[in-house]
Short mmCIF file of all heavy atoms in Angstrom, two decimals:
data_model
loop_
_atom_site.label_atom_id
_atom_site.label_comp_id
_atom_site.label_asym_id
_atom_site.label_seq_id
_atom_site.Cartn_x
_atom_site.Cartn_y
_atom_site.Cartn_z
N GLU A 94 141.08 167.35 263.78
CA GLU A 94 141.24 168.09 262.54
C GLU A 94 139.97 167.99 261.69
O GLU A 94 139.29 166.95 261.65
CB GLU A 94 142.45 167.54 261.76
CG GLU A 94 143.76 167.67 262.50
CD GLU A 94 144.08 169.18 262.76
OE1 GLU A 94 143.82 170.02 261.90
OE2 GLU A 94 144.61 169.45 263.91
N VAL A 95 139.66 169.09 261.00
CA VAL A 95 138.50 169.14 260.18
C VAL A 95 138.44 168.07 259.12
O VAL A 95 137.37 167.40 258.90
CB VAL A 95 138.39 170.57 259.46
CG1 VAL A 95 137.28 170.55 258.44
CG2 VAL A 95 138.15 171.65 260.55
N SER A 96 139.58 167.77 258.50
CA SER A 96 139.55 166.69 257.48
C SER A 96 139.19 165.36 258.08
O SER A 96 138.43 164.58 257.46
CB SER A 96 140.93 166.65 256.77
OG SER A 96 141.94 166.35 257.76
N ASP A 97 139.68 165.07 259.20
CA ASP A 97 139.38 163.75 259.87
C ASP A 97 137.91 163.74 260.31
O ASP A 97 137.23 162.72 260.16
CB ASP A 97 140.25 163.54 261.10
CG ASP A 97 141.72 163.37 260.75
OD1 ASP A 97 142.01 162.90 259.63
OD2 ASP A 97 142.61 163.75 261.55
N LEU A 98 137.42 164.83 260.84
CA LEU A 98 136.05 164.92 261.32
C LEU A 98 135.09 164.81 260.16
O LEU A 98 133.99 164.21 260.23
CB LEU A 98 135.82 166.17 262.13
CG LEU A 98 136.72 166.35 263.34
CD1 LEU A 98 136.53 167.70 263.98
CD2 LEU A 98 136.49 165.23 264.35
N THR A 99 135.42 165.42 259.04
CA THR A 99 134.60 165.27 257.80
C THR A 99 134.52 163.83 257.38
O THR A 99 133.45 163.33 256.97
CB THR A 99 135.18 166.15 256.70
OG1 THR A 99 135.13 167.53 257.10
CG2 THR A 99 134.31 166.00 255.45
N GLU A 100 135.61 163.10 257.45
CA GLU A 100 135.65 161.71 257.12
C GLU A 100 134.70 160.92 258.04
O GLU A 100 134.03 159.96 257.56
CB GLU A 100 137.03 161.17 257.15
CG GLU A 100 137.25 159.82 256.45
CD GLU A 100 138.72 159.44 256.40
OE1 GLU A 100 139.56 160.05 257.04
OE2 GLU A 100 138.99 158.46 255.70
N VAL A 101 134.66 161.30 259.32
CA VAL A 101 133.73 160.58 260.29
C VAL A 101 132.28 160.85 259.82
O VAL A 101 131.44 159.92 259.86
CB VAL A 101 133.95 161.13 261.67
CG1 VAL A 101 132.90 160.63 262.64
CG2 VAL A 101 135.36 160.71 262.19
N CYS A 102 131.96 162.06 259.44
CA CYS A 102 130.61 162.39 258.95
C CYS A 102 130.28 161.52 257.79
O CYS A 102 129.10 160.99 257.72
CB CYS A 102 130.52 163.87 258.63
SG CYS A 102 130.64 164.99 259.96
N TRP A 103 131.18 161.36 256.83
CA TRP A 103 130.90 160.52 255.66
C TRP A 103 130.66 159.08 256.05
O TRP A 103 129.78 158.37 255.50
CB TRP A 103 132.04 160.62 254.66
CG TRP A 103 132.22 161.95 254.01
CD1 TRP A 103 131.27 162.93 253.91
CD2 TRP A 103 133.38 162.45 253.37
NE1 TRP A 103 131.76 164.04 253.23
CE2 TRP A 103 133.04 163.74 252.88
CE3 TRP A 103 134.64 161.92 253.12
CZ2 TRP A 103 133.99 164.52 252.20
CZ3 TRP A 103 135.59 162.73 252.45
CH2 TRP A 103 135.27 164.00 251.99
N LEU A 104 131.49 158.59 257.02
CA LEU A 104 131.30 157.20 257.47
C LEU A 104 129.98 156.98 258.09
O LEU A 104 129.25 156.03 257.75
CB LEU A 104 132.44 156.88 258.53
CG LEU A 104 132.29 155.54 259.19
CD1 LEU A 104 132.47 154.39 258.19
CD2 LEU A 104 133.25 155.46 260.35
N PHE A 105 129.55 157.87 259.00
CA PHE A 105 128.23 157.72 259.65
C PHE A 105 127.13 157.84 258.61
O PHE A 105 126.10 157.06 258.69
CB PHE A 105 128.07 158.80 260.70
CG PHE A 105 128.88 158.50 262.01
CD1 PHE A 105 129.18 159.57 262.85
CD2 PHE A 105 129.31 157.22 262.31
CE1 PHE A 105 129.93 159.32 264.02
CE2 PHE A 105 130.09 157.01 263.47
CZ PHE A 105 130.34 158.09 264.32
N ALA A 106 127.22 158.70 257.68
CA ALA A 106 126.17 158.88 256.63
C ALA A 106 126.07 157.57 255.79
O ALA A 106 124.98 157.16 255.44
CB ALA A 106 126.44 160.08 255.72
N SER A 107 127.25 156.94 255.51
CA SER A 107 127.20 155.73 254.70
C SER A 107 126.55 154.56 255.48
O SER A 107 125.98 153.65 254.87
CB SER A 107 128.61 155.34 254.30
OG SER A 107 129.38 154.90 255.38
N ILE A 108 126.66 154.58 256.82
CA ILE A 108 126.08 153.51 257.63
C ILE A 108 124.58 153.75 257.82
O ILE A 108 123.79 152.83 257.65
CB ILE A 108 126.81 153.44 258.99
CG1 ILE A 108 128.33 153.04 258.78
CG2 ILE A 108 126.12 152.46 259.92
CD1 ILE A 108 129.15 153.16 260.05
N TRP A 109 124.22 154.96 258.20
CA TRP A 109 122.81 155.22 258.55
C TRP A 109 121.94 155.61 257.30
O TRP A 109 120.69 155.48 257.39
CB TRP A 109 122.71 156.29 259.58
CG TRP A 109 122.79 155.75 260.99
CD1 TRP A 109 121.72 155.41 261.72
CD2 TRP A 109 123.97 155.50 261.73
NE1 TRP A 109 122.21 154.88 262.97
CE2 TRP A 109 123.58 154.92 262.93
CE3 TRP A 109 125.33 155.64 261.47
CZ2 TRP A 109 124.46 154.52 263.97
CZ3 TRP A 109 126.27 155.22 262.43
CH2 TRP A 109 125.81 154.68 263.66
N GLN A 110 122.57 156.01 256.21
CA GLN A 110 121.85 156.35 254.99
C GLN A 110 120.69 157.24 255.22
O GLN A 110 119.53 156.88 254.92
CB GLN A 110 121.40 155.03 254.31
CG GLN A 110 122.55 154.14 253.95
CD GLN A 110 122.13 152.76 253.40
OE1 GLN A 110 120.95 152.58 252.98
NE2 GLN A 110 123.02 151.82 253.43
N PRO A 111 120.89 158.41 255.82
CA PRO A 111 119.79 159.28 256.13
C PRO A 111 119.13 159.81 254.85
O PRO A 111 119.77 159.97 253.82
CB PRO A 111 120.44 160.44 256.90
CG PRO A 111 121.86 160.43 256.42
CD PRO A 111 122.17 158.99 256.14
N GLY A 112 117.85 160.10 254.99
CA GLY A 112 117.10 160.66 253.81
C GLY A 112 117.17 162.19 253.74
O GLY A 112 117.58 162.85 254.70
N ALA A 113 116.77 162.66 252.63
CA ALA A 113 116.60 164.12 252.40
C ALA A 113 117.85 164.91 252.70
O ALA A 113 117.82 166.04 253.09
CB ALA A 113 115.43 164.71 253.28
N GLY A 114 119.04 164.33 252.46
CA GLY A 114 120.26 165.04 252.59
C GLY A 114 120.72 165.29 254.00
O GLY A 114 121.74 165.95 254.25
N ALA A 115 119.98 164.76 254.98
CA ALA A 115 120.39 164.95 256.38
C ALA A 115 121.58 164.10 256.74
O ALA A 115 121.89 163.13 256.02
CB ALA A 115 119.20 164.65 257.29
N GLN A 116 122.25 164.43 257.82
CA GLN A 116 123.37 163.61 258.29
C GLN A 116 123.20 163.33 259.76
O GLN A 116 122.67 164.15 260.52
CB GLN A 116 124.70 164.36 258.11
CG GLN A 116 125.14 164.51 256.62
CD GLN A 116 126.49 165.23 256.55
OE1 GLN A 116 126.54 166.39 256.89
NE2 GLN A 116 127.45 164.56 256.06
N PRO A 117 123.69 162.16 260.24
CA PRO A 117 123.60 161.92 261.68
C PRO A 117 124.35 162.92 262.49
O PRO A 117 123.96 163.30 263.60
CB PRO A 117 124.27 160.53 261.82
CG PRO A 117 124.09 159.85 260.47
CD PRO A 117 124.20 160.99 259.51
N VAL A 118 125.50 163.40 262.01
CA VAL A 118 126.27 164.47 262.62
C VAL A 118 126.88 165.28 261.50
O VAL A 118 126.94 164.90 260.37
CB VAL A 118 127.39 163.95 263.55
CG1 VAL A 118 126.83 163.23 264.73
CG2 VAL A 118 128.37 163.03 262.80
N THR A 119 127.34 166.49 261.83
CA THR A 119 128.04 167.38 260.87
C THR A 119 129.47 167.62 261.31
O THR A 119 129.84 167.48 262.51
CB THR A 119 127.31 168.74 260.77
OG1 THR A 119 127.39 169.40 262.03
CG2 THR A 119 125.82 168.54 260.37
N THR A 120 130.25 168.02 260.34
CA THR A 120 131.63 168.38 260.66
C THR A 120 131.72 169.50 261.67
O THR A 120 132.54 169.47 262.59
CB THR A 120 132.37 168.81 259.36
OG1 THR A 120 132.34 167.78 258.43
CG2 THR A 120 133.83 169.21 259.67
N GLU A 121 130.83 170.49 261.55
CA GLU A 121 130.85 171.57 262.48
C GLU A 121 130.54 171.14 263.92
O GLU A 121 131.20 171.57 264.85
CB GLU A 121 129.78 172.66 262.06
CG GLU A 121 130.08 173.35 260.74
CD GLU A 121 129.63 172.53 259.49
OE1 GLU A 121 129.12 171.39 259.75
OE2 GLU A 121 129.72 173.03 258.41
N LEU A 122 129.60 170.19 264.09
CA LEU A 122 129.25 169.71 265.41
C LEU A 122 130.42 169.01 266.01
O LEU A 122 130.81 169.15 267.12
CB LEU A 122 128.01 168.86 265.33
CG LEU A 122 127.66 168.13 266.67
CD1 LEU A 122 127.29 169.11 267.73
CD2 LEU A 122 126.55 167.15 266.41
N LEU A 123 131.04 168.11 265.16
CA LEU A 123 132.20 167.32 265.71
C LEU A 123 133.36 168.22 266.04
O LEU A 123 134.05 167.95 267.04
CB LEU A 123 132.61 166.32 264.65
CG LEU A 123 131.67 165.15 264.34
CD1 LEU A 123 132.29 164.23 263.30
CD2 LEU A 123 131.30 164.37 265.57
#
Side-chain angles (χ1 to χ4, degrees):
E94 297 300 320
V95 169
S96 58
D97 294 331
L98 300 175
T99 299
E100 196 173 9
V101 171
C102 292
W103 292 341
L104 173 67
F105 286 157
S107 71
I108 295 170
W109 272 268
Q110 300 174 16
Q116 289 182 295
V118 294
T119 63
T120 300
E121 294 85 354
L122 174 64
L123 292 181

